[in-house]
Amino acid sequence: MFPIFWNATCVIILRILCGSYRVMELCQVFYLYDVHAIPQANAASGMAVHDDCKLKFLELKAKRTYRFIVYKIEEKQKQVVVEKVGEPNQSYEDFTASLPAEECRYAVYDFDFVTEENCQKSRIFFIAWSPDTARVRSKMIYASSKDRFKRELDGIQIELQATDPTEMGLDVIKSRAC
């Protein structure tokens, strides 16, 4: 009764209504777009990095104007922003106190130490803070954005991933710095 293309169209409409077709498949079926020309999301989470994040990091690295920087992902804006900076005279305890107990954060800490040869040195730590009590969605977003964000901060020397304060204690920092 109906031409063959009508039957195929009905099948496609039924699949759309049932949810068994994805947009990319529909584009291929109807030859609407070159599938490779459709912009794809970032392989990670697609979070952008605010320019201020890079500028503050460069100031920490080159001018040593900060002891630490705490970064936060603004989910609504889909970007990483600077949440807090620590003055050069602030301690490691001030830094750890600035990390929220139940939310994920990225942080950079400039650790000064003296070697066994009595040489003054400094190491820049990148810390991915993801406490066990944080929301699962937040943990996933921070984990998938970490590598891209870390690449934006050129000069990170040591990376730490911590889920509780003992995993980033001062003794851990000292042992990793040497």
Side-chain angles (χ1 to χ4, degrees):
M1 288 188 171
F2 294 105
I4 293 175
F5 74 87
W6 178 255
N7 289 337
T9 306
C10 290
V11 168
I12 290 171
I13 291 171
L14 285 173
R15 286 189 176 172
I16 291 169
L17 294 174
C18 295
S20 63
Y21 261 125
R22 295 189 322 248
V23 174
M24 297 298 275
E25 292 169 341
L26 288 175
C27 290
Q28 286 175 329
V29 169
F30 288 112
Y31 304 103
L32 294 177
Y33 300 102
D34 175 14
V35 175
H36 301 290
I38 298 173
Q40 300 293 314
N42 185 349
S45 66
M47 292 291 167
V49 178
H50 194 277
D51 290 338
D52 201 32
C53 295
K54 297 178 225 174
L55 292 173
K56 297 281 187 201
F57 178 74
L58 288 174
E59 290 175 14
L60 177 139
K61 184 173 90 169
K63 299 177 185 174
R64 302 181 60 103
T65 52
Y66 307 112
R67 174 65 57 202
F68 63 86
I69 306 170
V70 178
Y71 300 97
K72 174 183 181 178
I73 291 180
E74 290 288 346
E75 289 186 43
K76 291 180 182 173
Q77 298 171 351
K78 291 193 183 265
Q79 69 178 350
V80 182
V81 297
V82 173
E83 182 180 49
K84 184 175 183 177
V85 293
E87 297 303 317
N89 59 356
Q90 288 189 296
S91 68
Y92 189 74
E93 288 75 27
D94 296 328
F95 164 66
T96 56
S98 68
L99 295 173
E102 297 187 4
E103 293 179 37
C104 299
R105 292 291 186 271
Y106 299 129
V108 173
Y109 186 79
D110 187 9
F111 181 65
D112 294 328
F113 63 102
V114 178
T115 64
E116 292 177 0
E117 294 84 31
N118 206 23
C119 228
Q120 184 72 27
K121 289 209 171 187
S122 175
R123 294 279 186 258
I124 298 176
F125 281 81
F126 177 84
I127 300 170
W129 172 244
S130 183
D132 291 330
T133 55
R135 295 179 336 195
V136 173
R137 175 178 167 75
S138 179
K139 289 183 194 180
M140 289 174 59
I141 290 172
Y142 274 83
S144 63
S145 304
K146 182 183 75 168
D147 289 333
R148 180 176 183 270
F149 178 61
K150 205 173 85 173
R151 276 194 305 269
E152 297 284 337
L153 307 178
D154 187 35
I156 299 289
Q157 296 165 318
I158 301 169
E159 179 184 344
L160 278 181
Q161 220 166 324
T163 58
D164 68 74
T166 61
E167 293 176 353
M168 56 178 242
L170 192 56
D171 55 331
V172 174
I173 296 289
K174 285 179 182 176
S175 69
R176 293 287 302 272
C178 297

